[in-house]
Amino acid sequence: MMKVSCSKRSTTETYTDQRLSKIYYLSHHHHTIANLTNHRLDTALGLDLNSHRVAAENYQLMNYGIGGYIAPHVDSDSNARDPLNLVTGGERLMTFMVYLSEIAEGGGGNTVLPLLGISVPPTKGTALFWNTIKSDGK
């Protein structure tokens, strides 16, 4: 995957055969809405996402549009022990996702967790949260 930064406002174009989408990154350091969302997550989950430089990744606003897709994938990073990865915060421990729009019934777009037998249709305002690794780090 190749990422090309387009501006200082965190717009990035990503070229990959695993995803067809538009993406915009929001940093809790530079975007009030991301900082406020982190505060709400802190309250709900007992976290402290705004205090450290890399306590949380940038939020990714995804627009898959007509014909868009994302291939099946795992949100954790198998290269977590890579020294470069440690500089940028290490393993992704959890994922938080909110649907900002919905798709007509039968239009696809579900988030599927196949090992758990879960399929969540995109419903505006629905939030999903899951741990991406177990407490033993695997």
Side-chain angles (χ1 to χ4, degrees), residues 49-105:
L49 299 173
N50 288 324
S51 65
H52 303 287
R53 184 177 65 83
V54 292
E57 292 181 56
N58 290 334
Y59 284 93
Q60 301 173 24
L61 296 177
M62 306 296 297
N63 180 338
Y64 291 98
I66 297 172
Y69 66 89
I70 186 166
H73 65 283
V74 176
D75 279 358
S76 63
D77 186 354
S78 61
N79 295 317
R81 298 192 191 280
D82 180 328
L84 180 59
N85 191 340
L86 294 175
V87 169
T88 60
E91 179 74 57
R92 179 183 293 172
L93 304 176
M94 56 194 77
T95 296
F96 172 70
M97 186 174 91
V98 177
Y99 292 109
L100 301 177
S101 61
E102 23 193 283
I103 297 173
E105 188 173 332

Side-chain angles (χ1 to χ4, degrees), residues 28-47:
H28 64 279
H29 298 293
H30 304 291
H31 298 91
T32 303
I33 189 70
N35 189 284
L36 292 172
T37 302
N38 278 0
H39 279 297
R40 292 181 84 176
L41 286 169
D42 289 348
T43 300
L45 302 171
L47 302 172

Side-chain angles (χ1 to χ4, degrees), residues 100-117:
L100 301 177
S101 61
E102 23 193 283
I103 297 173
E105 188 173 332
N110 289 23
T111 297
V112 179
L113 305 171
L115 298 179
L116 299 176

Side-chain angles (χ1 to χ4, degrees), residues 110-131:
N110 289 23
T111 297
V112 179
L113 305 171
L115 298 179
L116 299 176
I118 296 172
S119 180
V120 181
T123 303
K124 185 176 182 177
T126 297
L128 304 175
F129 173 85
W130 64 91
N131 292 313

